Amino acid sequence: MKRTIGHSGIILLLTLSLHLVASAQSEAAKSAEARAREAIEVLSSGDRAKFKQFILASYTEEALKAPMQQRLNAFSSIHDNSRGFEIHGVQDTTPDSATLLVKNKLTGGWDAIFVGVDPTAPYKIRGIGFRPAKPKGEQSAKALGDKDMARELDTLVKRLAEADVFSGTVLLAKDGKPVYSAAFGAANKDFNVPNKLDTKFNLGSMNKMFTGVAIAQLVEKGKLSFDDPLSKFIPDFPDAESAKKIQIKHLLTHTAGLGGYFTKRYQDMSRANLRTVDDMMALAKQDEKLQFEPGSKWQYSNTGMLVLGKVIEIVSGQTYFDYVRDNIYKPAGMTNTDCYELDRINTNLAVGYHKQFTDNGISWGNNVFMHVMRGGPQGGGYSTVDDLLKFDQALRGGKLVSPAMFKTLTTPKPEIKSPNYGYGFGVNTEAGTAGHSGGFPGINSELTMHLNSGWTAIVMSNYSQAAQPVVQRIAELVKRSEGSSLAAAK
């Protein structure tokens, strides 16, 4: 005899099935949260033996393919920059992840730690990372005045410097007038030379802003167009067919399909042989090829900005270095900014340092033999916080390009797959900011222009990744200040 299930039976089965799925998902989410709490407890211990034991016992086989030393150093770095975390709740959970809201014990700031897991038992960890923190209620802070902002910022940076996780200079200005500026740490550890406000720090990729402005100036002079093909200036880079496809705007936005020339070939050669744009171009030419159709994808490219440096030389008839000196540094009054050749006498340059984490503690290394002999259109020059403020004010004040062109430079280009980058400038439309950062072992600097409120934040450090906690706190302070100004206006 054949049995049939009635309508109500089907509904019951579906309800039961959905309940079982929801129950399984809930159990997985709880397990993900438990894993996250366990991971944060281990991270907060600062014990490398515990780190290793936890990683071996709790990570998936796939995750364990990464070198153990790399994992241990990542854990050590997180602890060094936090001294542990206080868990304040769950920000988000899914069946295969949990994000917990935590307070950084060193900075006192809010972080959100994400832990991804396998969605089935035993829920082993696939990866750990950070997400934007979303504090609520008591975690929301009141608006601040300028003096309060300076005091909070000073408290933070002093705490970081005393913990030896920050060395460098910090400047916060409103409408071009400094509200806070200070220097911390050593410019040279060998000779115990302290950092000062006029110490020159490596810019890393921040030189890309100067390259973008230089191209914009030549556009305003009618000497080239953002839509010009690269072949108009350099017909064979990286090859003749690709040069016809790549446009100036693609190079400016990292959408040209080019990569980077800091390859193994670069690692194996003498830095002394790379002093001019042509030297760098010759190196890039050996390995570079088009990786995707221009304008179809975003991929950060040092080679793209280097190529723009050569375009500037061809169009202007000057070397790249002379052009930016004459048309950017001098008009802005930047007397302590340049791409210095590091085997010559250069006064007041900070040496870059990076921490090396070992089972026996922390040791320090410098980046003297790691970095370029001379910076260029793509990065590696030097500047000071005061000079970068002058650049910011000259740029906003119309001394370098017109107000309309400034807006063009600092506006995203989603039409060519660049939603967070303009022409040589990183852009955050939600925060209303534009600027650029630079990073490398022993280098971490950033300029942030708050376009809607007149604030300018500049952080320069000769420690790896050291600027970021300061940059993050300044962003929070400025947001609170902007909220206070908006409320007052109402």
Side-chain angles (χ1 to χ4, degrees):
M1 181 176 172
K2 189 175 181 180
R3 288 189 173 185
T4 60
I5 300 176
H7 180 69
S8 59
I10 292 173
I11 292 175
L12 181 62
L13 287 173
L14 286 172
T15 302
L16 180 60
S17 176
L18 289 172
H19 175 74
L20 290 173
V21 170
S23 178
Q25 289 180 337
S26 175
E27 181 63 30
K30 288 179 181 177
S31 297
E33 180 187 338
R35 280 290 191 195
R37 289 180 180 276
E38 184 183 5
I40 292 168
E41 181 181 350
V42 171
L43 279 169
S44 297
S45 73
D47 186 327
R48 281 175 73 91
K50 283 187 179 180
F51 293 168
K52 186 173 184 178
Q53 183 181 13
F54 174 75
I55 291 167
L56 289 172
S58 306
Y59 274 61
T60 64
E61 288 186 16
E62 184 65 27
L64 286 173
K65 291 179 181 178
M68 178 58 71
Q69 196 66 23
Q70 180 179 315
R71 294 281 188 199
L72 290 174
N73 289 346
F75 273 46
S76 292
S77 178
I78 291 171
H79 179 267
D80 189 52
N81 285 285
S82 66
R83 307 304 157 96
F85 302 96
E86 297 173 358
I87 298 174
H88 281 256
V90 179
Q91 183 163 294
D92 185 41
T93 59
T94 69
D96 62 355
S97 72
T99 303
L100 301 192
L101 184 66
V102 300
K103 203 160 196 178
N104 184 307
K105 290 183 179 179
L106 177 60
T107 69
W110 295 100
D111 289 312
I113 297 180
F114 166 90
V115 178
V117 302
D118 270 346
T120 56
Y123 308 103
K124 290 202 168 185
I125 294 174
R126 292 181 289 107
I128 297 175
F130 287 84
R131 297 290 185 268
K134 300 174 183 177
K136 297 177 182 177
E138 65 177 352
Q139 291 125 16
S140 298
K142 66 178 182 178
L144 294 174
D146 294 357
K147 291 182 179 180
D148 294 325
M149 290 175 68
R151 184 172 59 252
E152 280 208 21
L153 182 55
D154 188 58
T155 298
L156 170 70
V157 186
K158 282 180 178 176
R159 189 182 302 152
L160 294 173
E162 288 168 1
D164 206 16
V165 297
F166 181 81
S167 171
T169 51
V170 181
L171 189 150
L172 177 62
K174 178 68 182 294
D175 298 326
K177 297 179 180 179
V179 169
Y180 176 82
S181 61
F184 301 87
N188 188 303
K189 289 180 179 292
D190 289 330
F191 298 101
N192 219 16
V193 177
N195 283 319
K196 300 180 294 183
L197 283 174
D198 63 351
T199 298
K200 305 180 187 82
F201 292 87
N202 200 298
L203 291 164
S205 286
M206 292 173 71
N207 282 86
K208 291 178 173 68
M209 294 185 291
F210 305 149
T211 300
V213 171
I215 289 289
Q217 290 175 339
L218 295 170
V219 169
E220 289 197 311
K221 293 174 183 176
K223 294 189 175 184
L224 57 78
S225 164
F226 293 126
D227 295 322
D228 279 342
L230 178 58
S231 58
K232 183 176 178 180
F233 312 100
I234 310 173
D236 61 348
F237 191 93
D239 55 73
E241 183 180 351
S242 298
K244 293 176 183 177
K245 296 179 180 181
I246 297 171
Q247 295 177 309
I248 298 299
K249 63 186 177 184
H250 297 140
L251 296 165
L252 285 165
T253 54
H254 301 286
T255 62
L258 301 177
Y261 64 92
F262 296 117
T263 60
K264 187 177 185 303
R265 192 187 303 274
Y266 164 79
Q267 295 294 337
D268 292 342
M269 73 181 298
S270 171
R271 309 291 197 272
N273 295 326
L274 298 175
R275 295 178 186 271
T276 68
V277 170
D278 283 341
D279 293 338
M280 300 171 202
M281 287 286 290
L283 174 62
K285 176 74 172 175
Q286 295 182 64
D287 298 304
E288 194 64 68
K289 61 182 180 179
L290 199 66
Q291 299 179 19
F292 54 84
E293 285 298 306
S296 68
K297 181 181 175 181
W298 194 92
Q299 176 179 284
Y300 196 78
S301 172
N302 281 309
T303 298
M305 287 289 172
L306 170 63
V307 171
L308 286 172
K310 186 57 187 174
V311 170
I312 291 165
E313 292 191 334
I314 292 169
V315 173
S316 70
Q318 294 181 276
T319 68
Y320 172 82
F321 308 104
D322 286 341
Y323 182 88
V324 293
R325 278 192 210 106
D326 292 343
N327 295 278
I328 297 176
Y329 305 156
K330 287 182 181 178
M334 301 165 69
T335 57
N336 288 307
T337 303
D338 212 330
C339 290
Y340 303 106
E341 294 180 72
L342 298 186
D343 59 349
R344 298 188 177 183
I345 303 301
N346 301 293
T347 60
N348 211 12
L349 264 60
V351 175
Y353 296 98
H354 56 97
K355 286 181 178 177
Q356 299 166 328
F357 298 99
T358 72
D359 292 343
N360 297 318
I362 293 172
S363 64
W364 287 93
N366 67 51
N367 66 1
V368 171
F369 294 103
M370 299 172 68
H371 206 245
V372 295
M373 178 65 72
R374 187 186 197 184
Q378 75 293 339
Y382 286 77
S383 190
T384 67
V385 287
D386 287 335
D387 267 16
L388 288 176
L389 180 60
K390 291 175 182 177
F391 171 69
D392 160 79
Q393 290 299 292
L395 193 54
R396 294 207 218 193
K399 287 185 178 180
L400 302 179
V401 294
S402 69
M405 183 58 78
F406 173 63
K407 187 173 182 179
T408 298
L409 288 168
T410 56
T411 301
K413 313 298 177 197
E415 68 278 7
I416 51 174
K417 309 301 181 185
S418 185
N420 301 305
Y421 204 91
Y423 288 158
F425 289 79
V427 183
N428 184 330
T429 52
E430 183 178 350
T433 61
H436 218 292
S437 61
F440 189 79
I443 299 166
N444 195 199
S445 299
E446 187 160 337
L447 164 67
T448 305
M449 299 180 288
H450 293 264
L451 303 176
N452 300 324
S453 60
W455 286 101
T456 304
I458 305 164
V459 185
M460 309 191 79
S461 179
N462 56 333
Y463 281 6
S464 307
Q465 302 178 340
Q468 293 314 301
V470 185
V471 169
Q472 181 180 335
R473 181 60 58 84
I474 291 176
E476 294 167 359
L477 294 172
V478 170
K479 184 176 181 180
R480 288 159 64 183
S481 172
E482 289 174 339
S484 176
S485 298
L486 185 61
K490 290 181 179 181

